[in-house]
Amino acid sequence: FEWEPPSEAEMKILEARRERSDKISKLMGDYLLKGYKMLGSVCETCDTILLEDKQAMKYCIACQELDTDTDKDDPVMSSSAARSLTEERQGVTQGSRTFPAASSTSGRRVVQQPSPLSIDPRLGLYEEGAKKAAKPASESLGVWPIPDYSSALDSLCEKIRWASEELKNSSSVEYSIQLCNLIKASADAMQSLKSSQS
Amino acid sequence: MDNNQGTELKLLDFSKSLQIARALESLVLRGFGPQGLQTLMCTSTGQVLVTNNGATIFNALHIGHPAGRLMVKAIDKMIQYTGDGSKTFIVMLSEILQQIDRKYTEKDRGKMIREVTHFTHNVFPVLQKQVLDHSRTSSLINDKKAFCDSFDGVLRSVISPHYSARVVENLVTTVTSSFNFDLPSDHFYEQVSIITRNLSQFVVKTVGPSVTDSTTLDSFIIQRDFALHLNLCPMEKVRFVILMCSIEEQVKQEDNESIYLSTNDSLRNFMLYQRKRVDKFAQMCVEQKINVVISSVGIPKYCLQVLASRNISVIHYLEEEDVEFLSQMCRKHVILEFPRVQFTEKEIFVASSCQRVIIGGKPCVQLTPCGEGLAPYTKTLILAAPTDSLCGQLYTVIHKAIKSVYLSLILSEGPSCSSATIPGGTSFELMCSHFLTTGRWCKSKTLVNEGVQMASILAGAFVGVARILHRNVTETTQNQTRDFLIKLSRVWKRDADMNSLHCLGFDRRGTLRDMDKEGVLEPIALKFHLVSCLMDLLCTLLKTDGIIGT
């Protein structure tokens, strides 16, 4: 067994977890002062120690306060966050395309493609989320189109295939987690489509 | 794994213990040190509490988690002995658990338990010896001024987190004046011991405009008025007895004796018999020159009239604790049953004066016991505060301070009473952190790998305590952490240069000073006991990997 020091990404994740734990502890202290009771049981979702208020209602700080705070900024969970990140990405790609080519023998202007490292590959996921959020307003009014399950299923299959390929090549823990979430969400969507089709 | 009641066994990993310790720590963090802030909380009975006493805050919380209750209980047990140190305890526990959570996994439990055990048995004694070599010891007989300064210094260090500097000095002077430093060593030690164990009998709480109105009063104060007060001759000594029984005969309920008293004759005979008993008691008091009768039970009015006719004053409805305390102090016996012929010498108390005084608008009795064999005590503390709850808090603080003073005393052969203290302001913590970090404790090559981890963790915990004190006493700036690290390196460099451990600590403004000269001292026994309790609790937490909670 050879021990390897954690990578920078893993260190960041560990640090983020510690900060989260510290926030939970601080909030827990505040609630204890307000008269909440610290229970011996933990939350089934996030394994945080549960509190109980004076009406005997159980309360999880992490699920009901901390995670709801971060969900709104998480592009995977929130469409508005995904849209804003996509706009950022488009701004970045447009900026990179205006750079002249480093060398051009034929005199043609070579469009310099942005290097993969300069753009966060997760933005591809967020774009999908933004597209889902940017539905035309007319769809919410008037006549609903007849759903095309087969094309939706095809798209979902393609998305799962793409995400699987990305997962093979991914070295980032966070990106991998988000790809897994995407695969899971796509599979759930396929399940729903198949059940409504039947 | 399920037990019969349906509750599951849950994992208690390092992160859970850390979360609980952190939650408790967050409640008392800002109250740490001489500039500590108060916490306002509402108890379950609706009472509003304003305090920064760690133990008071923790006991007012509702904690159902077994590990949390274990921590609070450990702090409680420690406080019963030391009186102080609850905030330092939880801060150090939190720092230690944080380091364990960062550096170790659940598989390392066994290794950590061995580290803690090795530290407790091998490293801690070396640390204690090193600290004792650099502590301040002063004897009551040989160096009375230094002894009194140490006494004041310990009181000051405990009281200062709760009140302003001016009020602290006033309270230190008041509390010190209630002790008699002219007693021989063993009597002085006994005096402090008696006051520490029975402080409620030595304190009268009264509502006053300010805490600085607290004062002392000679003698023992009975917080009751005279039921019958007759002028006593000022030249004569007061002879009194203490009753814990009734003068009249009680009707026996189990025999249904009241049925037999239904006729006029039997009732008349019974009342005559009662009157004879009272007359006999009064006659005995006259014959043996008893001026005052003190009773824990009520004395009926007709008995009072009989005693008044014999010129005997009466105080009744005394608390049983006060009665027992007087009995212990004067080394006399109380009367538990009606005497047959006369009172024995052991049952007759002697006092030089017994008079009515008014304290806080309430009439009380000031009693000055005297005679041979009297236990050493001198004065009663009158604690004043604007409200009843603030008075209660003042009492708690004074009790803590007196317990700490008692812990600082050592009675050695001679007999000789001396005081063993160490400068405050986290001087002890800074000293220990440097000692543990430099590894000077490790002199044996075979022990070079053992105890190193725990020593390093504990050194970090000590630095954590000093860092929190520094943060609380200095202004919050961006460079606060940098300032602390600079000061820490200065302390350690000075220790390294002089090849000894010096007692620099943080004063009220966060400046590094020799706290010995500042007059802020802490009892060494308190610090050692705190570390010992911490190691015990840590060992228990490490040995526990599962809980069955509510």
Side-chain angles (χ1 to χ4, degrees):
Chain A
F1 173 72
E2 284 185 12
W3 176 82
E4 290 177 2
S7 63
E8 197 181 324
E10 284 167 357
M11 286 295 291
K12 283 187 181 173
I13 291 172
L14 285 171
E15 197 55 45
R17 279 195 194 137
R18 276 179 210 136
E19 274 181 29
R20 183 173 179 273
S21 181
D22 285 349
K23 276 185 201 169
I24 291 171
S25 297
K26 176 80 175 56
L27 286 169
M28 200 178 289
D30 292 342
Y31 278 105
L32 284 173
L33 275 181
K34 288 177 191 171
Y36 279 59
K37 183 179 175 183
M38 183 192 286
L39 298 178
S41 49
V42 294
C43 174
E44 289 170 0
T45 313
C46 62
D47 212 32
T48 304
I49 293 171
L50 286 172
L51 298 177
E52 185 180 84
D53 63 8
K54 288 169 189 170
Q55 281 78 41
M57 298 291 292
K58 292 192 181 173
Y59 185 75
C60 175
I61 293 171
C63 293
Q64 297 189 32
E65 277 196 38
L66 236 63
D67 289 343
T68 50
D69 280 346
T70 54
D71 276 352
K72 65 176 171 28
D73 295 325
D74 187 353
V76 177
M77 307 294 287
S78 163
S79 54
S80 55
R83 198 181 313 119
S84 61
L85 270 168
T86 311
E87 284 164 5
E88 278 179 35
R89 184 199 176 198
Q90 285 169 356
V92 166
T93 52
Q94 281 170 6
S96 63
R97 280 182 193 137
T98 56
F99 291 151
S103 61
S104 169
T105 51
S106 61
R108 281 186 303 150
R109 191 177 169 194
V110 174
V111 174
Q112 184 176 3
Q113 293 295 328
S115 66
L117 292 176
S118 64
I119 299 174
D120 194 337
R122 291 170 290 173
L123 289 178
L125 288 171
Y126 306 153
E127 207 173 33
E128 297 296 327
K131 279 180 186 170
K132 282 178 198 168
K135 284 181 189 169
S138 60
E139 283 190 9
S140 61
L141 302 169
V143 179
W144 286 95
I146 298 167
D148 187 2
Y149 293 120
S150 56
S151 66
L153 282 168
D154 289 341
S155 305
L156 285 168
C157 289
E158 203 176 340
K159 194 54 65 184
I160 291 174
R161 208 174 297 123
W162 170 84
S164 308
E165 288 299 317
E166 285 291 311
L167 193 60
K168 269 186 212 170
N169 302 326
S170 163
S171 59
S172 160
V173 174
E174 282 179 14
Y175 184 43
S176 304
I177 290 170
Q178 284 168 0
L179 285 169
C180 293
N181 284 335
L182 176 62
I183 293 170
K184 186 185 170 194
S186 303
D188 287 343
M190 282 177 72
Q191 186 84 15
S192 312
L193 286 173
K194 281 178 184 168
S195 59
S196 53
Q197 198 173 27
S198 60
Chain B
M1 180 177 108
D2 291 341
N3 64 9
N4 292 335
Q5 284 127 7
T7 53
E8 290 181 3
L9 180 69
K10 293 155 190 117
L11 181 66
L12 179 70
D13 50 15
F14 293 151
S15 61
K16 294 273 184 325
S17 302
L18 173 62
Q19 205 169 67
I20 296 167
R22 278 284 203 213
L24 294 176
E25 187 199 22
S26 68
L27 302 175
V28 297
L29 218 51
R30 297 303 297 177
F32 190 65
Q35 309 281 25
L37 303 176
Q38 307 270 0
T39 300
L40 173 69
M41 54 191 297
C42 191
T43 63
S44 55
T45 54
Q47 185 191 4
V48 172
L49 207 62
V50 179
T51 180
N52 69 354
N53 183 353
T56 307
I57 293 171
F58 295 146
N59 283 322
L61 302 175
H62 300 284
I63 297 180
H65 197 286
R69 284 165 72 169
L70 183 66
M71 290 178 197
V72 171
K73 201 144 185 119
I75 290 172
D76 247 351
K77 285 285 177 194
M78 185 193 75
I79 292 297
Q80 278 176 17
Y81 178 66
T82 63
D84 196 17
S86 53
K87 293 193 280 290
T88 310
F89 186 96
I90 196 66
V91 166
M92 285 189 64
L93 179 67
S94 182
E95 292 282 338
I96 290 172
L97 288 173
Q98 187 180 22
Q99 292 191 54
I100 290 175
D101 186 50
R102 278 188 181 181
K103 295 178 186 176
Y104 301 100
T105 63
E106 292 296 320
K107 296 173 199 170
D108 299 319
R109 272 185 192 262
K111 181 184 165 191
M112 285 312 303
I113 292 167
R114 285 193 297 276
E115 286 273 337
V116 170
T117 311
H118 177 86
F119 179 87
T120 307
H121 292 133
N122 299 314
V123 181
F124 189 43
V126 178
L127 176 66
Q128 282 177 305
K129 186 177 174 307
Q130 189 69 25
V131 170
L132 280 169
D133 289 344
H134 293 86
S135 64
R136 173 186 177 161
T137 311
S138 44
S139 164
L140 175 62
I141 298 170
N142 300 332
D143 193 359
K144 193 171 175 182
K145 187 182 176 310
F147 182 89
C148 294
D149 289 343
S150 293
F151 201 91
D152 287 354
V154 172
L155 289 174
R156 193 175 290 117
S157 86
V158 177
I159 299 174
S160 58
H162 304 278
Y163 298 100
S164 64
R166 186 181 67 85
V167 173
V168 166
E169 288 310 313
N170 188 283
L171 285 172
V172 166
T173 309
T174 304
V175 172
T176 310
S177 67
S178 68
F179 290 88
N180 182 2
F181 289 86
D182 295 324
L183 293 172
S185 282
D186 52 345
H187 287 180
F188 180 81
Y189 187 83
E190 190 185 355
Q191 176 194 212
V192 179
S193 166
I194 288 169
I195 291 176
T196 306
R197 284 185 277 116
N198 302 286
L199 188 65
S200 56
Q201 269 79 40
F202 282 100
V203 163
V204 173
K205 295 177 224 173
T206 178
V207 175
S210 166
V211 171
T212 50
D213 288 336
S214 301
T215 183
T216 54
L217 208 58
D218 280 332
S219 319
F220 184 74
I221 301 293
I222 297 173
Q223 296 187 56
R224 284 267 182 266
D225 191 11
F226 281 103
L228 199 61
H229 187 205
L230 299 161
N231 289 328
L232 302 165
C233 178
M235 303 304 292
E236 282 184 5
K237 286 212 181 337
V238 176
R239 288 163 64 88
F240 62 97
V241 291
I242 301 182
L243 296 176
M244 279 189 86
C245 63
S246 171
I247 300 174
E248 343 169 73
E249 185 166 331
Q250 298 297 310
V251 173
K252 295 186 190 61
Q253 295 295 326
E254 56 271 14
D255 289 345
N256 289 323
E257 195 168 355
S258 56
I259 295 172
Y260 301 133
L261 297 175
S262 59
T263 64
N264 284 341
D265 283 343
S266 56
L267 188 58
R268 194 182 304 117
N269 289 338
F270 179 75
M271 292 309 295
L272 279 172
Y273 170 69
Q274 295 284 52
R275 178 58 196 263
K276 274 185 189 170
R277 275 173 71 100
V278 175
D279 280 338
K280 183 183 174 190
F281 180 82
Q283 192 56 33
M284 280 162 56
C285 291
V286 168
E287 283 168 6
Q288 292 186 273
K289 295 181 185 169
I290 305 294
N291 318 103
V292 178
V293 170
I294 296 177
S295 171
S296 63
V297 297
I299 295 177
K301 278 187 183 169
Y302 80 92
C303 294
L304 290 176
Q305 284 165 356
V306 170
L307 292 170
S309 66
R310 303 292 206 278
N311 214 32
I312 297 169
S313 299
V314 175
I315 308 165
H316 62 172
Y317 293 116
L318 218 70
E319 300 280 348
E320 281 192 14
E321 289 87 12
D322 285 349
V323 164
E324 285 167 10
F325 176 73
L326 272 173
S327 169
Q328 285 171 17
M329 288 297 292
C330 302
R331 301 207 169 108
K332 298 276 188 181
H333 297 155
V334 298
I335 297 169
L336 297 171
E337 60 177 6
F338 190 82
R340 290 175 179 77
V341 179
Q342 61 178 6
F343 304 115
T344 63
E345 266 313 301
K346 274 286 189 183
E347 289 170 342
I348 299 176
F349 295 69
V350 182
S352 56
S353 71
C354 178
Q355 57 192 3
R356 178 187 274 140
V357 292
I358 305 290
I359 298 173
K362 288 185 200 168
C364 303
V365 175
Q366 185 181 21
L367 186 69
T368 313
C370 63
E372 288 181 9
L374 189 66
Y377 78 96
T378 50
K379 296 184 181 183
T380 300
L381 263 174
I382 312 293
L383 297 181
T387 65
D388 282 337
S389 59
L390 288 174
C391 221
Q393 288 174 34
L394 176 59
Y395 172 81
T396 306
V397 170
I398 298 298
H399 198 188
K400 261 186 7 177
I402 292 178
K403 261 190 194 174
S404 298
V405 158
Y406 177 59
L407 271 184
S408 72
L409 298 180
I410 304 170
L411 188 67
S412 46
E413 285 183 19
S416 168
C417 180
S418 44
S419 164
T421 55
I422 194 142
T426 64
S427 302
F428 170 81
E429 285 80 6
L430 290 170
M431 186 194 302
C432 292
S433 64
H434 186 231
F435 181 75
L436 292 172
T437 310
T438 51
R440 279 189 243 175
W441 48 270
C442 183
K443 292 187 178 169
S444 163
K445 287 183 185 172
T446 56
L447 294 177
V448 69
N449 287 328
E450 293 181 14
V452 171
Q453 298 297 331
M454 197 61 224
S456 158
I457 288 171
L458 205 57
F462 283 130
V463 170
V465 172
R467 187 183 66 242
I468 286 166
L469 177 67
H470 179 263
R471 190 189 70 186
N472 285 354
V473 297
T474 51
E475 287 178 16
T476 306
T477 60
Q478 284 182 343
N479 297 327
Q480 201 175 35
T481 306
R482 193 195 66 152
D483 288 342
F484 171 73
L485 291 172
I486 290 171
K487 286 170 186 168
L488 184 67
S489 62
R490 208 188 315 158
V491 170
W492 286 7
K493 187 176 181 301
R494 180 178 169 176
D495 292 345
D497 289 345
M498 302 179 79
N499 201 21
S500 65
L501 297 177
H502 266 259
C503 304
L504 288 182
F506 296 112
D507 66 1
R508 275 180 178 266
R509 291 180 191 80
T511 315
L512 269 179
R513 286 190 194 283
D514 186 346
M515 298 307 282
D516 196 345
K517 291 177 186 167
E518 294 291 310
V520 178
L521 301 168
E522 291 171 331
I524 292 181
L526 187 153
K527 294 294 186 184
F528 290 161
H529 190 74
L530 191 150
V531 174
S532 172
C533 289
L534 194 58
M535 291 294 111
D536 283 344
L537 177 61
L538 189 62
C539 209
T540 308
L541 287 172
L542 288 171
K543 286 179 182 173
T544 309
D545 64 351
I547 56 164
I548 297 175
T550 52

